[in-house]
C-alpha cells in the first residue's frame, strides 16, 4: 500500500470475524442504516500524519504489535502502520472499510497538523488508556437515549469515543458527549450527514488481486 492511499482523518471501519467482533457488529445492527452500515463495524481507527507518513491511530487492548511511536505494546491509544493493522483483520478472515471526508470537508494543512498534534502529543504521548466500561455502555441502546451516560473523560477512551472527540474538536461533528457513540452509530451519523463517504474496502480478494498485479 502506498502512503498516498491514505489521507488525514480517514476513518477505518474494522470488521472482525471473532466472537467478540461479531457480537459488537450484530449487537449494533440496524435495518434503517445506510446499506453498507446495516451491520456495523466492531472497531474504528483514524489516520493522521507522523513524520510525513500516515499512521493508523486507535484505542484498543487487542493489537499484537508495539506502538510505532512509543515502541512498546500499549493498552489504550496507540499508532501502527496502516497496512500492518489491515493485514491483521484480513488474516483472520475479516475486512476493513475506508471512509473519507467529502471534498468540501477535507482538512487543510493546518488542520492536518492539529489532528496529528492532538492524537500523537496528547492521546499517545500522555498514554491515554482504554475505557472498557465506556465501550460496553456505548453499545446499549437504553443508555444512549437517556441522561445516564457518564461524563466524557478524555484520559480514558474507547475506540469510537476517541474518534468522535477528535471530530468534534476539528468541527466535523457537533459537540456532544463522545461516550454516546459506538463505531456503528458514529459512522452512520457521519455518512447520513454527508461528512464522510465510503471510499474502498480492504479484504482478502483485493489483497490477492494486488499481488497478481505486481
Amino acid at each position: 500500500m502506498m502512503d498516498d492511499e491514505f489521507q488525514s482523518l480517514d476513518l477505518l471501519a474494522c470488521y472482525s470475524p471473532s466472537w467478540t467482533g461479531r457480537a459488537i457488529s450484530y449487537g449494533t445492527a440496524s435495518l434503517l442504516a445506510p446499506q453498507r452500515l446495516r451491520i456495523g463495524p466492531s472497531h474504528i481507527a483514524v489516520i493522521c500524519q507522523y513524520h510525513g507518513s500516515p499512521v493508523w491511530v486507535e484505542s484498543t487492548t487487542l493489537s499484537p504489535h508495539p506502538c510505532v511511536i512509543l515502541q512498546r505494546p500499549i493498552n489504550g491509544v496507540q499508532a501502527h502502520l496502516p497496512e500492518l493493522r489491515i493485514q491483521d483483520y484480513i488474516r483472520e478472515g475479516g475486512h476493513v472499510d475506508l471512509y473519507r471526508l467529502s471534498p468540501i470537508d477535507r482538512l487543510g494543512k493546518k488542520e492536518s497538523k492539529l489532528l496529528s498534534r492532538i492524537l500523537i502529543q496528547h492521546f499517545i504521548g500522555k498514554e491515554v488508556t482504554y475505557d472498557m466500561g465506556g465501550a460496553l455502555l456505548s453499545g446499549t441502546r437504553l443508555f444512549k437515549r437517556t441522561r445516564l451516560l457518564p461524563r466524557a473523560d478524555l484520559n480514558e477512551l474507547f475506540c469510537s469515543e476517541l474518534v468522535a472527540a477528535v471530530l468534534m474538536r476539528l468541527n466535523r461533528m457537533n459537540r456532544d458527549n463522545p461516550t454516546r457513540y459506538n463505531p456503528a452509530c458514529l459512522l452512520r451519523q457521519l455518512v447520513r450527514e454527508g461528512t464522510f463517504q465510503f471510499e474502498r474496502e480492504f479484504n482478502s480478494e483485493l489483497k490477492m488481486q494486488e499481488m497478481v498485479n505486481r
Side-chain angles (χ1 to χ4, degrees):
M1 299 176 192
M2 304 297 292
D3 284 354
D4 60 6
E5 192 161 12
F6 300 100
Q7 297 180 10
S8 292
L9 209 57
D10 277 352
L11 301 183
L12 292 310
C14 308
Y15 292 80
S16 170
S18 68
W19 185 90
T20 301
R22 288 182 183 275
I24 295 171
S25 289
Y26 285 97
T28 57
S30 172
L31 291 176
L32 301 178
Q35 185 172 1
R36 195 170 185 89
L37 290 168
R38 288 175 184 169
I39 303 298
S42 57
H43 183 62
I44 190 168
V46 59
I47 296 290
C48 77
Q49 299 295 315
Y50 179 62
H51 293 325
S53 296
V55 289
W56 162 305
V57 178
E58 62 185 332
S59 184
T60 186
T61 61
L62 299 177
S63 172
H65 312 291
C67 171
V68 296
I69 295 172
L70 298 180
Q71 298 294 308
R72 64 180 187 277
I74 298 294
N75 287 332
V77 184
Q78 54 198 277
H80 302 284
L81 298 179
E83 56 267 30
L84 190 64
R85 290 297 282 135
I86 289 171
Q87 288 170 5
D88 287 339
Y89 282 91
I90 292 176
R91 191 177 297 115
E92 66 175 5
H95 71 276
V96 176
D97 284 351
L98 188 154
Y99 286 83
R100 178 159 291 163
L101 285 164
S102 62
I104 64 172
D105 287 304
R106 301 277 164 86
L107 298 188
K109 290 183 179 180
K110 290 184 178 179
E111 290 178 309
S112 180
K113 290 180 179 179
L114 175 60
L115 171 66
S116 296
R117 186 163 67 249
I118 291 170
L119 290 171
I120 295 170
Q121 294 183 12
H122 181 80
F123 292 123
I124 296 177
K126 294 185 178 180
E127 299 192 36
V128 170
T129 57
Y130 186 77
D131 179 12
M132 179 62 74
L136 294 173
L137 191 61
S138 74
T140 61
R141 289 179 170 85
L142 171 63
F143 284 92
K144 280 167 56 62
R145 289 170 170 79
T146 72
R147 296 183 180 181
L148 299 178
L149 279 171
R151 69 176 182 83
D153 180 3
L154 298 187
N155 294 307
E156 189 178 46
L157 295 165
F158 56 93
C159 65
S160 48
E161 185 180 20
L162 168 68
V163 174
V166 169
L167 289 169
M168 292 173 195
R169 174 63 182 84
L170 292 173
N171 297 317
R172 265 58 181 189
M173 278 185 72
N174 290 332
R175 288 284 182 171
D176 196 356
N177 184 344
T179 307
R180 185 179 302 276
Y181 295 93
N182 57 54
C185 71
L186 175 61
L187 271 174
R188 287 167 186 153
Q189 177 172 321
L190 294 171
V191 170
R192 284 189 180 113
E193 292 175 348
T195 311
F196 280 80
Q197 54 197 20
F198 172 75
E199 183 72 15
R200 66 164 296 184
E201 176 185 0
F202 298 97
N203 60 33
S204 56
E205 293 181 2
L206 288 174
K207 182 180 179 182
M208 291 298 297
Q209 187 63 46
E210 289 170 357
M211 291 175 66
V212 170
N213 291 337
R214 286 177 184 174

